[in-house]
């Protein structure tokens, strides 16, 4: 597949992202607050289709970009957790931010500013507490029965989604299928195409890609999201409150710190790393979800404890 094709694929991906709930924060909030795991299941459908497409690309083209595994240590857990904290503060993960901007919530542009600040900060060796990412290699699928089992699971979930689309007319599943397939085709061709990777490349002074293909693809991603929102009459330009702006800036900063230890953001984890059958991708994504869930459960208790403390009690007069 030629590199140019990632541009229309990115447009389709952005279009589909707005058609269904794919934000990790929103999906986890739905699970914790309402006891419903359907949105999290939807993310699993995305990963399943992406995993199958990456496998087919590797088997039949031999030129697909497949992620390698990295060492699982404290940096990975810390990075995934801090990414979860940042996404919750931002009120949207790397994927959700695309949808919010597509809907005209331009305060989320400050998420990029926060990401850039984190990337610039970590370029200073004296301020970067993290060591280099240690690559551990990759075992072939034919030599790993666990990976074979995961692929079979992906196939089963993909068939289930097809049944839901055809028999139940579930259009959300069609959008999830589209996201998984287009994302895998893009990452399998140009894994460096994500908006966080492009931002990091520009800050490093590495220049533009050949033909500006990657940069145009990122623009196409957001254009597809805007067009999809406009068709649904959900594109309403607004800048939000100063509180949201602060949340976007600080949340983006923490997400950038986390992404430094977990290569890429949660969009890369969901659509390439975990579907590419890496253990660290699955671990990091689960740690991120667990962190968001724990914070959602703990925050009401923490807020209550703080408001009942002596610092918030009204002074009494004798």
């Amino acid at each position: 597949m030629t590199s140019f094709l990632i541009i229309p694929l990115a447009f389709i991906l952005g279009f589909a992202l707005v058609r269904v709930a794919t934000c990790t924060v929103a999906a986890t909030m739905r699970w914790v607050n309402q006891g419903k795991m359907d949105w999290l299941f939807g993310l699993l459908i995305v990963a399943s289709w992406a995993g199958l497409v990456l496998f087919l690309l590797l088997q039949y083209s031999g030129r697909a970009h497949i992620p390698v595994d990295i060492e699982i240590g404290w940096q990975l857990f810390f990075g995934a957790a801090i990414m979860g904290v940042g996404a919750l503060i931002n009120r949207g993960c790397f994927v959700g931010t695309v949808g919010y901007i597509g809907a005209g919530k331009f305060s989320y542009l400050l998420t990029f500013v926060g990401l850039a600040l984190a990337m610039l900060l970590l370029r200073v060796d004296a301020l970067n507490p993290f060591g280099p990412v240690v690559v551990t290699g990759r075992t072939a699928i034919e030599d790993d029965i666990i990976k074979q089992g995961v692929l079979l699971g992906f196939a089963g979930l993909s068939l289930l989604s097809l049944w839901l689309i055809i028999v139940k007319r579930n259009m959300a599943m069609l959008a999830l299928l589209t996201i998984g397939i287009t994302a895998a085709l893009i990452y399998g061709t140009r894994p460096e195409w994500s908006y966080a990777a492009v931002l990091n490349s520009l800050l490093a002074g590495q220049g533009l890609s050949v033909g500006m293909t990657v940069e145009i693809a990122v623009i196409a991603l957001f254009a597809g999201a805007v067009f999809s929102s406009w068709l649904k009459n959900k594109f309403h330009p607004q800048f939000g409150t100063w509180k949201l702006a602060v949340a976007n800036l600080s949340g983006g900063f923490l997400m950038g710190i986390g992404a430094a230890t977990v290569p890429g953001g949660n969009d890369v984890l969901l659509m390439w790393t975990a579907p590419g059958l890496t253990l660290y991708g699955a671990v990091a994504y689960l740690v991120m979800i667990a962190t968001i869930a724990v914070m959602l459960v703990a925050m009401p208790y923490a807020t209550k404890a703080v408001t009942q403390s002596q610092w918030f009690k009204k002074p009494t007069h004798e």
Side-chain angles (χ1 to χ4, degrees):
M1 187 176 75
T2 62
S3 295
F4 175 77
L5 287 178
I6 71 170
I7 296 174
L9 286 172
F11 183 89
I12 295 171
L13 175 59
F15 187 96
L17 284 173
V18 175
R19 296 284 157 163
V20 67
T22 49
C23 177
T24 303
V25 174
T28 307
M29 290 181 69
R30 185 174 173 86
W31 171 41
V32 173
N33 296 334
Q34 301 178 36
K36 297 179 180 180
M37 299 187 68
D38 51 341
W39 289 4
L40 286 174
F41 178 73
L43 298 180
L44 187 56
I45 295 296
V46 170
S48 297
W49 277 105
L52 284 182
V53 172
L54 285 173
F55 172 72
L56 293 174
L57 282 175
L58 183 63
Q59 291 297 114
Y60 295 104
S61 74
R63 295 182 296 177
H65 291 273
I66 303 296
V68 296
D69 238 316
I70 66 173
E71 185 179 81
I72 297 178
W74 74 267
Q75 285 192 180
L76 181 78
F77 283 93
F78 175 81
I82 205 69
M83 195 187 304
V85 173
L88 184 58
I89 293 174
N90 185 58
R91 304 180 192 179
C93 63
F94 282 87
V95 180
T97 297
V98 175
Y100 290 131
I101 293 176
K105 297 181 179 180
F106 296 134
S107 173
Y108 280 84
L109 291 172
L110 289 173
T111 304
F112 299 152
V113 178
L115 284 171
L117 289 174
M119 292 172 181
L120 287 172
L121 177 67
L122 294 177
R123 289 193 177 280
V124 181
D125 291 338
L127 300 176
N128 188 348
F130 308 118
V133 174
V134 179
V135 177
T136 59
R138 179 183 176 88
T139 58
I141 295 174
E142 55 268 23
D143 299 328
D144 194 324
I145 192 172
I146 296 178
K147 289 184 177 180
Q148 294 170 14
V150 173
L151 271 176
L152 285 176
F154 283 169
L157 289 170
S158 298
L159 288 174
L160 174 60
S161 67
L162 284 176
W163 180 81
L164 290 171
I165 293 169
I166 297 171
V167 178
K168 299 295 185 179
R169 305 294 181 184
N170 190 326
M171 292 300 101
M173 283 293 160
L174 179 60
L176 294 169
L177 174 153
T178 303
I179 292 168
I181 293 177
T182 53
L185 290 173
I186 296 171
Y187 281 109
T189 304
R190 299 293 295 268
E192 77 282 12
W193 89 280
S194 70
Y195 66 80
V198 170
L199 180 60
N200 191 40
S201 177
L202 293 174
L203 291 174
Q206 296 175 358
L208 302 174
S209 62
V210 177
M212 293 183 62
T213 305
V214 173
E215 292 78 15
I216 295 175
V218 171
I219 295 173
L221 173 74
F222 288 96
V226 170
F227 183 60
S228 185
S229 294
W230 179 74
L231 287 179
K232 294 177 65 178
N233 197 30
K234 290 187 176 181
F235 181 72
H236 305 295
Q238 56 184 293
F239 289 96
T241 64
W242 68 267
K243 290 183 179 180
L244 179 59
V246 172
N248 293 148
L249 182 64
S250 56
F253 179 81
L254 291 176
M255 289 161 67
I257 296 293
T261 62
V262 183
N266 72 287
D267 52 343
V268 179
L269 292 174
L270 174 65
M271 302 178 191
W272 186 55
T273 313
L277 303 178
T278 62
L279 179 60
Y280 92 86
V283 170
Y285 201 77
L286 290 175
V287 169
M288 180 181 176
I289 291 175
T291 300
I292 295 172
V294 169
M295 289 188 64
L296 288 172
V297 172
M299 278 194 303
Y301 297 99
T303 302
K304 182 178 180 180
V306 170
T307 55
Q308 291 180 348
S309 68
Q310 61 178 349
W311 300 102
F312 283 81
K313 291 182 179 178
K314 294 182 179 180
T316 57
H317 300 279
E318 295 182 357

